[in-house]
Amino acid sequence: MQSRVLVCAYFAVNTGDDLFLKVLFDRYPNVKWDLLTANRNYIKIFKEYKNVQILYTYREVKIGAKYYNIFFKLNDLILNFKKYDALINIGGSIFMQGSSWKKKLKERNYLVTKFKEMNKKIFIIGANFGPFNDEEFIQSYRELFKKCDDICFRDSESFNLFKELENVRLAPDIVFGLKSNERSEGKEKIAGFSIINLKNRKGLKDYYHLYNNKIIELAKNYLSKGYRVKLFSFCENEGDLNIIQDIESEINNQNIEIVNYKGDIDSFLEKFKSCEVILGTRFHSIILALKNRQKVVPIIYSEKTYNVLKDLNMQNDCHYIKDISTLNFDEVNLKSDFQNSILHQNIERESEIHFKEIDNFFGDSIGGGNFEEKFTICN
């Protein structure tokens, strides 16, 4: 009988999170996946996968003075999650202490408790933990994690917070294991910029103009050196495209191309891979550049990026947004020219450690086989 799994993720047409899903679906082609979202974009994004469907019932409706989640109510009253063999929560920054974190925790705890009561498997993979403000947040999730069968973090900072739990493990970011077609030709004379919108980001909006102006300055420098420039929007829903359009209009050069991710994963990856150098702000722009052996300058907007680069011994090759005004073109060329020699040759294999327990659950005929426990990049 075909296994059926309920999938929780960040369904916002965000490049990094959609790559997580692609890796998951490609690894287990014989599993039926139900995506816990009502976002209709995901019908188009994964239309080639006949074993993937979204749940139209996953939405809130108001009855009287209260709001109810239809999907949860149907399962409480009728389905009781009986059709599922497992619950997988896959994502990167999915454990952040925002203003509504208790509501999100309550929803997660509901699902985990239901699956636990029915003796069904619960997996969390690919994540980092934080940022957080207090011990209550950590302790609340520690209690949740105790109910899960397996949790695999992508950085040692997150792992160390919960390493006393026997079900917690560590592996490099899942996207390092992305299977993609290799280009036979070399990189073109293109500088790629992954850009985020700082306008409404807490703690970063004060750097909005400094960041934008520095991107404009660096792009103009590359254009003056005979490069073409590609501006990559990794998540339109989070404002990437809006700020990119503003920046492009300021530069006003015919050798600039805007590449906006709208769910066309393969096309986006090919355009990204064509660049000789990447100035990456988005987390997964850096991961992809490392994977592609592209020259890369990481521009850090979140500690999650620094923590992963620290695990790779690359913490000295990055630049924080708060110090963006000091970044100059000569420094960019110097920092980008190490050609990723720091990368461990087995990092792609090590990233598959995220799936170790899922492979064991589905069986070797579906998964990727046996793994060693050790995450050697951190040593």
Side-chain angles (χ1 to χ4, degrees), residues 90-153:
I90 182 171
S93 299
I94 54 177
F95 302 118
M96 297 188 294
Q97 189 173 1
S99 58
S100 59
W101 73 268
K102 290 185 178 181
K103 178 182 178 182
K104 186 64 180 177
L105 176 64
K106 183 178 179 180
E107 180 179 294
R108 284 178 172 145
N109 195 55
Y110 169 87
L111 283 173
V112 168
T113 300
K114 288 291 183 182
F115 275 72
K116 187 74 173 176
E117 289 173 350
M118 299 194 70
N119 200 30
K120 297 176 183 292
K121 293 291 184 179
I122 305 159
F123 304 98
I124 297 174
I125 58 173
N128 55 267
F129 193 87
F132 53 85
N133 303 318
D134 54 52
E135 185 63 30
E136 180 189 4
F137 183 77
I138 301 174
Q139 188 56 37
S140 296
Y141 270 100
R142 183 174 283 112
E143 294 305 312
L144 178 72
F145 292 160
K146 288 177 182 178
K147 300 177 184 179
C148 300
D149 293 279
D150 181 62
I151 301 155
C152 193
F153 289 112

Side-chain angles (χ1 to χ4, degrees), residues 298-317:
I299 300 175
I300 296 180
Y301 77 96
S302 167
E303 284 301 307
K304 68 180 180 182
T305 308
Y306 179 81
N307 290 337
V308 166
L309 291 174
K310 185 170 66 174
D311 284 345
L312 299 173
N313 297 316
M314 283 182 56
Q315 63 269 31
N316 295 324
D317 297 301

